[in-house]
Amino acid sequence: MRVPSVSYITDGGSPSDVRVVLIDEDLIDEAVVSELGSAVCSTYFSKINELTSGKVNSVLIHLAEASPVFIVTLPSGRRSSDLREAGALIGNLKNVSRLSLRQESNALRVSDIEVLVNAIALGSYEFNVYRSEQEDGEAKEVVLQIEGLDQREVEEAVARGLNSAWATCFARDLVNEPPSRLTPEVFAQRISDEANGVSNLVVEVWDRRRIEDERLGGLLGVAAGSVQDPRVVKLSYKGEGSARKVALVGKGITFDSGGLNIKTFEGMKTMKTDMAGAAAVMASTIALAKAKAPVEIVAFAMLTENMPSGSATKPGDVLVTRSGQTIEVLNTDAEGRLVLSDGLTLAREEGPDYILDLATLTGACVVALGDEIAGILGNNDELISEVIEAGKKVDEELWHLPIPARYRSHIKSEIADMRNIGETGQAGATAGALLLERFVGDVPWAHLDIAGPSRSSSNKGVRKVGGTGFGAALLIELLS
Ligand code: BES
Ligand code: ZN
Ligand code: ZN
């Protein structure tokens, strides 16, 4: 992953592979003529006409004696989603390492720059590590030539847009890495490598010994079938002037085979993605620390594989979690809630103002909301609204699902404090949250079930096929 470099100039031209012109659709005639000259324009008349259709549109025009021009039009009354789409188109330009971006009509505000730059960076993301023919090329160089904006404010907006994109792309890289390469140990190492040296950020990695000493019975129960040892990564960050303390927990199953309740071919194909919650939580915490955000964060990544073997946890086994509460494991594929039970206990012990957990927890949530919307469940409506609003700002959509008290019986166990599944065929995302709820006490808490949007099956705007990094931008927006 390479995030583009972006510089800002107000005058003159600069050599580039492509000149990008961002135009309000209403101004298309004058702007295009001034860029291309009327002679060339008439040749492209029909194409240019297509650009005025009330949507974001683009056309790449090759010129005989100058670098190509990429015209991107924004509809009148544009919203930030239009800027994001425009940015994705620009980022997506292939074989372009230097591009200049000019804007006609002075309509871009500083806040637009942040969105645009972020989308250019996300749109240019590719994961080519394992393609023998293709190298992960140089990072794009973007030169913004926009008049009438304050230099310092633009530079700050660019930095914010790029920092958030870095976090999303780092999380994408972790998700896209093949599961036998990104073991819990390697995941922890990758986080340490990025976190070391960032000021006010402390990273701790717990190995099996420490995990046993800390009595993390839920995590150990899931790890029992794997030859890979589990890990916990704890990031602690205290920004200057921080008014609130937030605890984050991420599900980090580096591969979910289902365990002895083994998944099908279809179900298992994408299960390297099952650590996307941990990736988003770690990436956003590092980014917030880099940006010196005024907030205190303690973030836990609960890392293990979920594998079948002679030593694996069996359906019917009972785990004793760190909290002392016991869980009867009736389905070894409902392992996320087992590792999160310990993560949430650790989070609660930190005395935070609130707790957020991110997890690719249930297929039921994907059935309910599809692959572009995450579920959010919790014990505090105000907190949930705040998180949903932050998500809207960064195009990470969440939908509030309930945890009704009348369903508490769904996770009753014959022999333990609770069981790790709900009623067959009923409220699967809620059943997961009903169990998690038992570990947060009365601390305000929200659980983000990102099973759907954590990966994308195709390129869609700023989302690329594979890991999406969903949740990282939202956490940065919420906690900045
Ligand atoms: N990691 C899966 C959930 C998942 C499914 C994520 C599809 C992304 C896409 C989770 O560990 C799981 O398998 N959950 C089970 C729970 C069930 C056994 C109660 C599920 O959803 O089927
Ligand atoms: Zn599972
Ligand atoms: Zn899982």
Side-chain angles (χ1 to χ4, degrees):
M1 164 255 298
R2 289 195 177 81
V3 173
S5 71
V6 179
S7 52
Y8 175 56
I9 58 172
T10 44
D11 51 359
S14 71
S16 58
D17 303 332
V18 170
R19 290 177 289 154
V20 177
V21 189
L22 202 57
I23 311 173
D24 281 4
E25 176 178 280
D26 321 330
L27 297 172
I28 186 137
D29 294 344
E30 307 159 42
V32 171
V33 170
S34 90
E35 193 66 36
L36 302 177
S38 50
V40 185
C41 269
S42 54
T43 327
Y44 285 96
F45 184 74
S46 63
K47 270 197 170 172
I48 289 164
N49 247 8
E50 284 168 18
L51 294 177
T52 52
S53 66
K55 297 186 297 192
V56 176
N57 271 307
S58 66
V59 58
L60 181 62
I61 298 181
H62 292 277
L63 300 171
E65 276 162 23
S67 46
V69 177
F70 188 55
I71 297 171
V72 184
T73 57
L74 295 170
S76 44
R78 72 183 150 75
R79 294 181 302 205
S80 62
S81 56
D82 296 319
L83 280 171
R84 213 168 266 124
E85 208 178 318
L89 288 168
I90 297 165
N92 231 327
L93 284 168
K94 296 280 172 275
N95 305 318
V96 171
S97 56
R98 251 186 97 85
L99 60 86
S100 65
L101 189 145
R102 226 158 51 68
Q103 176 244 184
E104 294 285 337
S105 82
N106 291 329
L108 281 192
R109 292 177 298 261
V110 172
S111 57
D112 296 334
I113 304 278
E114 178 177 343
V115 176
L116 187 69
V117 164
N118 179 261
I120 293 174
L122 296 180
S124 56
Y125 178 84
E126 287 178 31
F127 187 77
N128 286 329
V129 182
Y130 298 103
R131 293 192 205 281
S132 54
E133 299 280 292
Q134 224 168 325
E135 292 201 355
D136 199 7
E138 285 300 296
K140 276 198 172 63
E141 257 183 85
V142 179
V143 181
L144 300 174
Q145 290 173 259
I146 298 168
E147 277 164 41
L149 296 176
D150 181 79
Q151 177 94 23
R152 218 200 62 209
E153 284 179 15
V154 170
E155 280 163 8
E156 284 170 3
V158 165
R160 281 195 302 274
L162 290 182
N163 190 44
S164 171
W166 172 82
T168 302
C169 294
F170 178 45
R172 287 178 181 181
D173 275 356
L174 293 170
V175 170
N176 288 333
E177 194 67 32
S180 294
R181 294 178 184 265
L182 196 84
T183 58
E185 181 187 1
V186 174
F187 184 116
Q189 189 58 50
R190 296 272 298 260
I191 301 305
S192 304
D193 291 346
E194 293 296 335
N196 277 327
V198 178
S199 49
N200 297 327
L201 182 64
V202 179
V203 49
E204 268 179 46
V205 177
W206 298 359
D207 61 7
R208 178 181 282 277
R209 262 292 292 282
R210 176 76 190 268
I211 290 168
E212 285 166 358
D213 289 348
E214 299 285 348
R215 302 178 326 279
L216 305 187
L219 179 61
L220 289 164
V222 177
S226 173
V227 296
Q228 300 293 336
D229 277 341
R231 291 286 188 280
V232 171
V233 182
K234 177 181 181 185
L235 291 177
S236 313
Y237 165 70
K238 192 166 176 12
E240 257 171 62
S242 55
R244 52 186 175 157
K245 178 170 180 177
V246 179
L248 306 176
V249 183
K251 171 177 173 182
I253 305 297
T254 58
F255 186 71
D256 182 9
S257 70
L260 289 174
N261 293 109
I262 199 159
K263 287 182 180 292
T264 60
F265 156 69
E266 272 303 326
M268 210 187 296
K269 257 197 302 194
T270 57
M271 279 303 127
K272 67 174 183 178
T273 312
D274 216 21
M275 32 55 73
V281 159
M282 294 285 111
S284 55
T285 303
I286 297 171
L288 284 157
K290 284 183 179 170
K292 304 193 189 316
V295 62
E296 184 173 357
I297 305 174
V298 192
F300 295 95
M302 309 302 290
L303 303 164
T304 178
E305 290 184 336
N306 183 26
M307 298 292 281
S309 79
S311 60
T313 293
K314 306 165 188 78
D317 275 340
V318 172
L319 305 178
V320 182
T321 62
R322 177 178 175 85
S323 71
Q325 297 182 89
T326 56
I327 308 176
E328 184 183 12
V329 179
L330 290 180
N331 189 325
T332 61
D333 197 11
E335 83 298 337
R337 60 203 76 180
L338 304 175
V339 307
L340 289 179
S341 69
D342 288 332
L344 292 170
T345 302
L346 290 169
R348 184 182 170 191
E349 289 167 6
E350 296 289 331
D353 293 308
Y354 61 83
I355 301 173
L356 300 176
D357 78 74
L358 273 71
T360 47
L361 206 71
T362 66
C365 200
V366 191
V367 172
L369 300 174
D371 71 353
E372 298 198 49
I373 302 174
I376 180 167
L377 307 91
N379 60 6
N380 186 298
D381 286 352
E382 212 178 306
L383 173 63
I384 288 172
S385 305
E386 222 187 296
V387 178
I388 291 174
E389 284 311 308
K392 277 187 189 153
K393 291 196 182 130
V394 295
D395 191 30
E396 292 185 341
E397 191 171 350
L398 304 163
W399 205 267
H400 187 180
L401 300 173
I403 314 180
R406 65 202 302 165
Y407 285 176
R408 283 184 187 153
S409 59
H410 285 203
I411 59 166
K412 261 178 106 162
S413 157
E414 284 177 9
I415 63 165
D417 296 338
M418 65 198 94
R419 62 181 192 186
N420 77 331
I421 53 171
E423 296 288 344
T424 306
Q426 287 191 52
T430 290
L434 276 163
L435 185 145
L436 302 180
E437 190 186 32
R438 301 273 291 264
F439 295 86
V440 296
D442 48 18
V443 182
W445 152 77
H447 155 63
L448 281 65
D449 191 334
I450 62 170
S454 60
R455 66 178 300 116
S456 176
S457 54
S458 60
N459 293 329
K460 274 181 230 156
V462 295
R463 304 227 164 108
K464 296 313 191 76
V465 65
T468 57
F470 187 99
L474 177 156
L475 290 175
I476 293 170
E477 175 68 31
L478 181 74
L479 302 178
S480 280

